Amino acid sequence: MKGYAVHLLFHALTLLCGTASGVAATLWWSTGTVPAGWAALAALLLGIAVLVLQWRHISASAPRRDARRTAPAQRSDTRPELGATAVHRDDPTTVSPPTRWG
């Protein structure tokens, strides 16, 4: 959550560019005004630039992966350092009888 404020800033800028592009494109479509079409195109390109900057920021803050790192060693099915984990007893008197609640 270190760069969450920057992340929210990028979202706000993208929403602002999208809204500006939509309003300008609507004006261009309905009235045929040429400057509104250019404003829509400029806002669209600015929104794409903000998204590219956000992608670069996220990829720069991600931890680096070392491509030359070796694969982890294969683990065996047993761990001999733990020893026996269960003790089997044949004496039924050491087991308490079941209760009503299990």
Side-chain angles (χ1 to χ4, degrees):
M1 291 296 189
K2 187 169 56 173
Y4 192 65
V6 177
H7 183 73
L8 286 178
L9 178 68
F10 279 126
H11 274 292
L13 287 173
T14 304
L15 285 172
L16 183 67
C17 289
T19 303
S21 179
V23 168
T26 302
L27 283 173
W28 172 73
W29 186 266
S30 62
T31 62
T33 331
V34 175
W38 286 111
L41 181 64
L44 179 66
L45 293 176
L46 186 63
I48 291 171
V50 168
L51 288 175
V52 168
L53 285 174
Q54 181 180 9
W55 171 73
R56 289 188 54 143
H57 173 72
I58 289 172
S59 64
S61 63
R64 298 279 180 215
R65 290 183 55 177
D66 188 12
R68 294 174 292 170
R69 188 174 65 182
T70 60
Q74 294 289 334
R75 289 180 53 185
S76 64
D77 291 338
T78 60
R79 295 182 63 187
E81 70 272 6
L82 292 179
T85 56
V87 177
H88 298 284
R89 295 190 179 122
D90 292 331
D91 188 12
T93 59
T94 59
V95 177
S96 61
T99 62
R100 182 168 67 170
W101 295 281

